[in-house]
Amino acid sequence: RFAGYDFTVKQGKGMGPGPNDWARSQAFVDTRGRLHLRFSEKDGKWLAGEVQSVSRFGFGTYEIEFEGDIDGQDKNVVFGFFNYPPADVGPDATHEIDVEFARWGRSSYKPLNYTVWPVKPGLENAHQTFGVRRGHGRSIHRFTWKADGVFYASEQLRDDGSIERAVSWDFTPSDYADRISSSPMPIYFNLWGFQGREPSDGKPVEAIVNRFTFTPAE
């Protein structure tokens, strides 16, 4: 249980994304109520972590406070905060709304990714990336999902909680019915290896989500 909601923990071998091997040991909530995800080695195999909410969420604002150096994350590691369509909503590469910290195996890529996947299969996703400042320990990330668009915003915080850097993206396509889902979906958090790769430096990775809130649309 995290942030007042029940989650299931992914377990299995060779499963997407990645593909990766997943284990229950790679996700837990600490005594302070923070969600921890791990991508680490055990008995010669790298294990990823993912949790999925039992409840489905619809239009509204989704927000997390993240603990960690996003710019310092290894180029082969992906952290995701997103919703994803169950089989009764749509196939893979549709409906999904993502916030991801990832360089997709390229050190030169910017690490903060926003992506909106279309409702209609075959359309390209909408994607925007941003750079962040290295060394910052806390940041806030949110997306507001509406019928006709998705608004994203991220803020890196100083030690006193004030905002050091802020970025945003407002995706409001004219053909929103084909590109913005209207179906409630579970929320996910995961930490994994891009294309099943281990971290390039061979070091284990841990991501901490201090809090998650969902505010339904009025």
Side-chain angles (χ1 to χ4, degrees):
R1 189 166 179 81
F2 171 57
Y5 302 99
D6 290 327
F7 287 80
T8 59
V9 184
K10 190 172 190 172
Q11 179 155 321
K13 295 183 179 181
M15 302 168 66
N20 284 270
D21 293 343
W22 307 81
R24 291 189 180 94
S25 61
Q26 303 302 82
F28 69 94
V29 175
D30 66 21
T31 57
R32 294 168 55 185
R34 304 181 303 171
L35 173 66
H36 294 244
L37 298 173
R38 291 173 174 164
F39 184 47
S40 59
E41 186 180 11
K42 183 179 181 181
D43 300 328
K45 294 184 178 181
W46 283 82
L47 301 175
E50 178 179 281
V51 298
Q52 170 191 342
S53 67
V54 174
S55 300
R56 298 188 186 191
F57 302 84
F59 297 143
T61 298
Y62 300 70
E63 180 175 295
I64 62 168
E65 182 181 283
F66 183 81
E67 190 76 36
D69 182 4
I70 296 169
D71 192 61
Q73 183 175 290
D74 189 87
K75 66 179 182 178
N76 292 340
V77 176
V78 182
F79 167 81
F81 158 50
F82 59 101
N83 57 27
Y84 185 82
D88 62 293
V89 171
D92 187 44
T94 67
H95 293 266
E96 187 175 345
I97 300 171
D98 296 303
V99 176
E100 291 166 302
F101 310 150
R103 284 194 167 89
W104 315 112
R106 303 287 186 91
S107 298
S108 60
Y109 283 9
K110 297 175 181 179
L112 176 58
N113 297 253
Y114 300 148
T115 309
V116 179
W117 292 86
V119 172
K120 189 176 180 179
L123 295 178
E124 291 187 0
N125 64 43
H127 184 68
Q128 190 76 16
T129 62
F130 295 91
V132 295
R133 293 188 180 177
R134 180 159 296 200
H136 283 259
R138 281 193 303 144
S139 53
I140 293 172
H141 308 271
R142 72 181 67 88
F143 62 86
T144 298
W145 172 22
K146 301 177 292 183
D148 60 351
V150 181
F151 174 74
Y152 289 92
S154 293
E155 298 151 0
Q156 288 185 279
L157 305 178
R158 299 186 181 92
D159 290 342
D160 64 4
S162 61
I163 298 172
E164 168 72 15
R165 175 177 166 80
V167 297
S168 63
W169 179 47
D170 194 4
F171 178 60
T172 52
S174 58
D175 56 344
Y176 62 85
D178 290 336
R179 296 188 177 274
I180 308 295
S181 181
S182 60
S183 301
M185 292 177 275
I187 195 77
Y188 288 74
F189 299 90
N190 61 20
L191 187 70
W192 49 284
F194 174 60
Q195 296 181 339
R197 304 175 193 175
E198 62 187 61
S200 63
D201 60 6
K203 296 180 180 179
V205 181
E206 182 172 50
I208 302 174
V209 182
N210 290 335
R211 61 175 178 83
F212 161 65
T213 58
F214 170 67
T215 306
E218 296 181 357

